[in-house]
Amino acid sequence: MASAALRWDIIELLFFAYRDFVGDADHELEAFGFGRAHHRVLHFVHRYPGLKVADLLDVLRITKQSLGRVLKQLLDEGYIVQKAGNNDRRQRLLFATPKGEALVAKLAGLQTDRLNRALRGIEPAGLEAVRQFLRAMIDRDDPDKVLEALFGATPSGAKTKE
């Protein structure tokens, strides 16, 4: 592909937007000795109470080893609890504790403030175009439960917009 045909404008905007979007939360997480992996785990466990560890691995597309250290720290420090499944006791189901929910709310608040500033003045049709663009950026063949919720059927335990 010729260099002139590459979408440098959008590529760089996405890099900088992502840097600043996650940077707000990164700064807050530093005080807890947490990083982006902790944030991602907390986010999905909060949004999908009872999420299986196996499904979380699929959603985050990380290895069990990568998740292990982060999950252990969140469990040990009381941000997440793990329970055995009702039907299959081998299942490990994850739930955010009130402490975890408070941290997620604080981080989501920072990110919502940034989103609201960026979206200020955009008409509803423009907001829908933003949603369509972001959905189109996600691999459509992705089997993740979370993405299924975004594209239609909401998992039974998923929390709605707050």
Side-chain angles (χ1 to χ4, degrees):
M1 176 175 262
S3 181
L6 297 175
R7 294 306 313 250
W8 294 116
D9 56 338
I10 302 295
I11 290 169
E12 288 182 358
L13 286 171
L14 283 170
F15 275 125
F16 292 125
Y18 177 75
R19 176 199 66 190
D20 295 344
F21 177 73
V22 298
D24 295 335
D26 287 350
H27 182 71
E28 186 68 34
L29 289 163
E30 286 174 14
F32 298 90
F34 293 164
R36 287 182 188 165
H38 296 84
H39 184 191
R40 291 172 29 154
V41 168
L42 269 171
H43 172 88
F44 286 107
V45 168
H46 167 73
R47 293 284 294 147
Y48 300 87
L51 186 65
K52 291 182 264 184
V53 170
D55 289 338
L56 182 59
L57 289 168
D58 289 340
V59 166
L60 298 178
R61 292 187 179 170
I62 59 174
T63 64
K64 195 182 283 190
Q65 182 179 358
S66 297
L67 177 61
R69 180 189 61 80
V70 169
L71 190 55
K72 181 178 180 346
Q73 188 176 7
L74 291 169
L75 288 163
D76 289 350
E77 295 187 26
Y79 291 90
I80 289 176
V81 293
Q82 181 174 276
K83 300 177 182 176
N86 291 332
N87 299 331
D88 184 347
R89 306 297 293 165
R90 295 170 299 177
Q91 285 181 336
R92 295 186 300 155
L93 308 178
L94 302 172
F95 299 86
T97 64
K99 183 178 177 181
E101 289 180 351
L103 181 54
V104 168
K106 185 169 194 169
L107 299 174
L110 292 170
Q111 291 179 321
T112 297
D113 289 346
R114 178 172 293 277
L115 289 169
N116 286 340
R117 284 191 307 270
L119 295 170
R120 191 174 297 131
I122 295 179
E123 299 295 324
L127 293 174
E128 186 53 34
V130 170
R131 284 187 201 92
Q132 287 175 6
F133 169 77
L134 292 172
R135 283 186 198 112
M137 289 290 296
I138 300 168
D139 291 340
R140 297 292 278 188
D141 61 345
D142 197 316
D144 294 346
K145 301 271 188 283
V146 174
L147 293 177
E148 288 175 16
L150 289 174
F151 290 115
T154 304
S156 59
K159 292 190 176 188
T160 57
K161 294 179 192 171
E162 297 175 355

